[in-house]
Amino acid sequence: GLPVKPATSIIVDPKSAKESRTLYAGFFGEGVFKSTDGGATWAAKNKGLGDPTNMRVYRVAIHADGTLFAVITALMKDGKFMEAGVGLYRSKNGGDSWECISKSAPAIWPKDFTVDPKDSRIVYLGLSDAKERKVGGLYRTKDGGTTWELLTRNGPQHFGAYLDPRHPGWIYATLCESSPDYGLFLSKDDGKTFEPMKGLPFDNAMRVTFDPADAGVIYVSTFGGSVWKGPAE
């Protein structure tokens, strides 16, 4: 029951019964599919999601309160960015319908997003420049997408933001391709200021994860440079 297309993301609803897990899968070009029987059968859940010309779902996530999020990334045609369908979407009814919450952000080429684990209205979105449109940076909404603010721009291709659960107010920002100097930045004041983490010897960083046994250690995945382990600050 699934399309023969690249599967980019799959999540399990942790509140679903073990004998009949609810799963969501994102597909590049086909949107989001849902299963309520542990993957035995699937159904498309794309009402309000994307555009018929662009259903390139890049990542799906679920918040502790049950809110679903899906991001549809950029589509280029004849060397130009096509904006139809691109953006960050939210569903509050298990995928039955979606709404775009990034309309007030310049989300032409979104990379990754992070939802605050304590409040699904607070979302971080990494954006990249779209050719001559210099809109790359790390953005945040605190009101569920009604308004967005630019937290920092350290290069043309911001990837994402990652919240340290052990240090409230710590935000790691990553830059991927074309970062001018450093690929990893840290804010210790909830995004007011960011400083480069100069110890990472690779400037194309993507995601940050945290060592649950050691508050002084983080892991950074990169594009082309493997995975790095290092100090949290």
Side-chain angles (χ1 to χ4, degrees):
L2 291 173
V4 186
K5 291 289 181 68
T8 55
S9 181
I10 185 166
I11 55 174
V12 179
D13 184 345
K15 296 182 180 180
S16 59
K18 291 182 179 180
E19 63 274 10
S20 56
R21 285 295 196 197
T22 295
L23 312 173
Y24 298 91
F27 282 82
F28 215 58
E30 295 288 344
V32 174
F33 284 72
K34 179 180 181 179
S35 173
T36 56
D37 53 16
T41 60
W42 295 84
K45 293 291 182 178
N46 293 328
K47 182 179 179 181
L49 182 67
D51 182 87
T53 63
N54 183 12
M55 297 293 289
R56 293 151 56 98
V57 171
Y58 173 62
R59 182 165 166 251
V60 183
I62 189 169
H63 192 267
D65 66 8
T67 305
L68 289 169
F69 294 87
V71 66
I72 292 183
T73 192
L75 173 67
M76 290 193 70
K77 185 176 182 181
D78 299 327
K80 297 181 179 180
F81 280 92
M82 312 302 292
E83 298 185 40
V86 175
L88 180 63
Y89 292 79
R90 177 181 62 201
S91 174
K92 294 185 176 182
N93 54 14
D96 287 341
S97 62
W98 298 85
E99 60 176 329
C100 182
I101 65 169
S102 60
K103 291 181 179 179
S104 62
I108 305 169
W109 191 3
K111 293 285 190 175
D112 199 17
F113 67 92
T114 292
V115 185
D116 189 308
K118 297 180 180 179
D119 189 344
S120 63
R121 297 172 300 174
I122 302 175
V123 186
Y124 299 80
L125 183 62
L127 301 181
S128 288
D129 287 354
K131 290 189 177 295
E132 70 280 355
R133 300 179 67 173
K134 309 303 182 183
V135 294
L138 177 62
Y139 293 76
R140 178 173 65 187
T141 179
K142 290 186 173 182
D143 53 18
T146 301
T147 59
W148 291 84
E149 62 174 327
L150 175 63
L151 289 183
T152 186
R153 173 184 167 90
N154 302 108
Q157 293 196 32
H158 272 258
F159 190 83
Y162 308 94
L163 311 180
D164 193 331
R166 310 154 308 184
H167 300 102
W170 284 28
I171 305 169
Y172 294 85
T174 58
L175 286 82
C176 46
E177 296 154 287
S178 304
S179 59
D181 294 301
Y182 305 102
L184 180 63
F185 288 76
L186 171 61
S187 171
K188 294 183 179 181
D189 53 13
D190 196 39
K192 294 182 179 64
T193 61
F194 284 83
E195 295 294 333
M197 298 188 72
K198 299 179 180 180
L200 181 68
F202 194 77
D203 62 0
N204 195 327
M206 299 183 77
R207 292 191 173 100
V208 179
T209 57
F210 307 95
D211 191 324
D214 189 341
V217 173
I218 62 172
Y219 299 86
V220 183
S221 65
T222 67
F223 191 73
S226 192
V227 177
W228 293 81
K229 175 183 178 181
E233 59 180 314

